[in-house]
Amino acid sequence: MNKLSTAKRVQIVSALVEGNSVNATARIGGVSNNTVLKLLADLGNACAIYQDKVFRNLKCKRIECDEIWSFVHAKERHLTPELQGVFGYGDVYTWVALDADTKLVPCWNVGRRDAESGMAFIKDLSERVANRFQLSTDGNKMYLTAVEETFGADIDYAMIVKIYGHTEDDSNKRYSPAECIGCEKEVIAGKPVMSLVSTSYIERQNLTMRMSMRRFTRLTNSFSKKIENHMHAVALHYMYYNFVRIHKTLRVTPAMAAKVTTKLWEMSDIVAVVEAWEVEQQTRETLAA
């Protein structure tokens, strides 16, 4: 069976993490679309497993959480009746946590914007941070139950609720939100420092996602066709963001700032993680046979 060289894999990964579509990446690398998708699947699995393993016992002081909207297969209003309500079709939300100091993304969850996904996301976050920290979220009520049941009183938690104005032109706006005319900060648990209650960093991270992943770009035909590929792309994005991409303010990668690693990763290091994962998979298949 033909196998891509390490150099070719590095070229393909570099194209994907810089926001190129699958078709564009295939043209750049001189390979087929199926080859890119197969490598993306391996990348997604390996990157998700690696980050799940190393992002443990983190020492975070301030964490911001938010959800970013996207869709898979088709927009919710365009789904056929038999696909209505089936996960992986229509609206998909990526729940993201961000350390405001190191800019590290310790966990994320691709799911719905419902209580079940919110609970799974917050529970995952609780298993990664070893100390008491301050949490900031928007006014999404689904955080309330999830945070209370997961952390109880062992957290300093506040919400920032934005107040939007309404104009006569709102009905003509399809993608632009209403004008934000103010916000209110509410203490939910503990004693959060109110001057540090914010979602600015996580909202900027949402913009980074839309700029770095073609699947999140609005008003294009580059949306995800399958939920599995969508999840793989998100895992690859955060592997690159956390370990390879130098943050302009920190001048190191988020993983270095959080002391998860002591070296600056290169794209070849991500490929090495995938290749190690492939060897492990082959070993398991051989033993199973």
Side-chain angles (χ1 to χ4, degrees):
M1 184 177 69
N2 294 332
K3 183 178 179 180
L4 293 174
S5 66
T6 299
K8 180 62 70 174
R9 289 184 169 195
V10 168
Q11 182 185 25
I12 293 174
V13 173
S14 300
L16 288 173
V17 298
E18 289 298 338
N20 290 284
S21 65
V22 170
N23 290 340
T25 301
R27 291 192 296 269
I28 292 171
V31 297
S32 68
N33 288 12
N34 288 337
T35 299
V36 175
L37 290 172
K38 174 61 171 64
L39 179 58
L40 175 62
D42 291 344
L43 286 164
N45 286 321
C47 292
I49 292 172
Y50 183 84
Q51 291 177 95
D52 178 65
K53 179 181 178 181
V54 301
F55 291 156
R56 301 286 176 176
N57 297 318
L58 299 174
K59 305 296 183 182
C60 302
K61 296 180 180 179
R62 292 187 295 147
I63 290 181
E64 300 178 7
C65 295
D66 197 12
E67 324 86 54
I68 181 171
W69 170 85
S70 58
F71 68 94
V72 176
H73 182 74
K75 290 185 177 179
E76 194 75 25
R77 64 177 180 272
H78 294 154
L79 292 177
T80 56
E82 61 270 16
L83 295 179
Q84 292 284 347
V86 179
F87 176 66
Y89 297 91
D91 292 346
V92 173
Y93 285 84
T94 304
W95 300 66
V96 184
L98 177 78
D99 182 346
D101 296 315
T102 66
K103 307 304 183 290
L104 182 80
V105 174
C107 68
W108 65 90
N109 179 59
V110 179
R112 302 177 186 275
R113 199 168 187 256
D114 58 14
E116 182 179 356
S117 294
M119 180 64 71
F121 169 65
I122 294 298
K123 186 177 185 302
D124 187 24
L125 175 62
S126 70
E127 295 172 352
R128 301 186 183 281
V129 184
N131 56 281
R132 186 186 183 102
F133 62 90
Q134 177 165 321
L135 176 66
S136 299
T137 71
D138 59 15
N140 187 346
K141 301 301 181 183
M142 298 171 194
Y143 286 113
L144 295 174
T145 302
V147 172
E148 181 179 1
E149 292 187 8
T150 303
F151 291 101
D154 299 328
I155 194 173
D156 299 312
Y157 175 35
M159 274 185 168
I160 180 166
V161 182
K162 294 182 179 179
I163 304 171
Y164 293 97
H166 298 281
T167 65
E168 297 179 356
D169 296 332
D170 285 348
S171 60
N172 298 324
K173 294 181 180 180
R174 297 180 58 191
Y175 300 102
S176 300
E179 180 183 1
C180 181
I181 59 176
C183 60
E184 297 178 352
K185 297 179 180 180
E186 300 179 5
V187 177
I188 306 299
K191 297 180 179 179
V193 179
M194 299 308 291
S195 62
L196 299 179
V197 176
S198 171
T199 56
S200 298
Y201 290 122
I202 187 63
E203 288 173 357
R204 180 58 182 84
Q205 166 58 211
N206 290 346
L207 176 60
T208 299
M209 290 182 68
R210 293 208 182 277
M211 295 177 65
S212 302
M213 280 185 283
R214 193 67 169 155
R215 299 166 187 272
F216 282 77
T217 304
R218 299 179 185 271
L219 300 178
T220 71
N221 62 353
S222 298
F223 58 88
S224 297
K225 311 308 186 290
K226 295 181 179 180
I227 186 63
E228 294 83 4
N229 292 338
H230 191 79
M231 292 178 173
H232 295 325
V234 172
L236 173 59
H237 165 75
Y238 282 123
M239 190 75 171
Y240 172 72
Y241 169 83
N242 284 324
F243 288 92
V244 181
R245 180 175 175 176
I246 297 177
H247 195 280
K248 290 184 178 180
T249 302
L250 301 174
R251 298 190 178 183
V252 293
T253 63
M256 293 175 68
K259 294 182 171 48
V260 176
T261 182
T262 58
K263 72 168 188 175
L264 175 62
W265 281 40
E266 298 180 354
M267 213 67 72
S268 57
D269 293 311
I270 294 182
V271 174
V273 170
V274 178
E275 292 176 343
W277 175 82
E278 290 175 339
V279 171
E280 183 179 349
Q281 291 296 109
Q282 292 174 359
T283 302
R284 288 182 179 179
E285 293 175 0
T286 301
L287 294 175

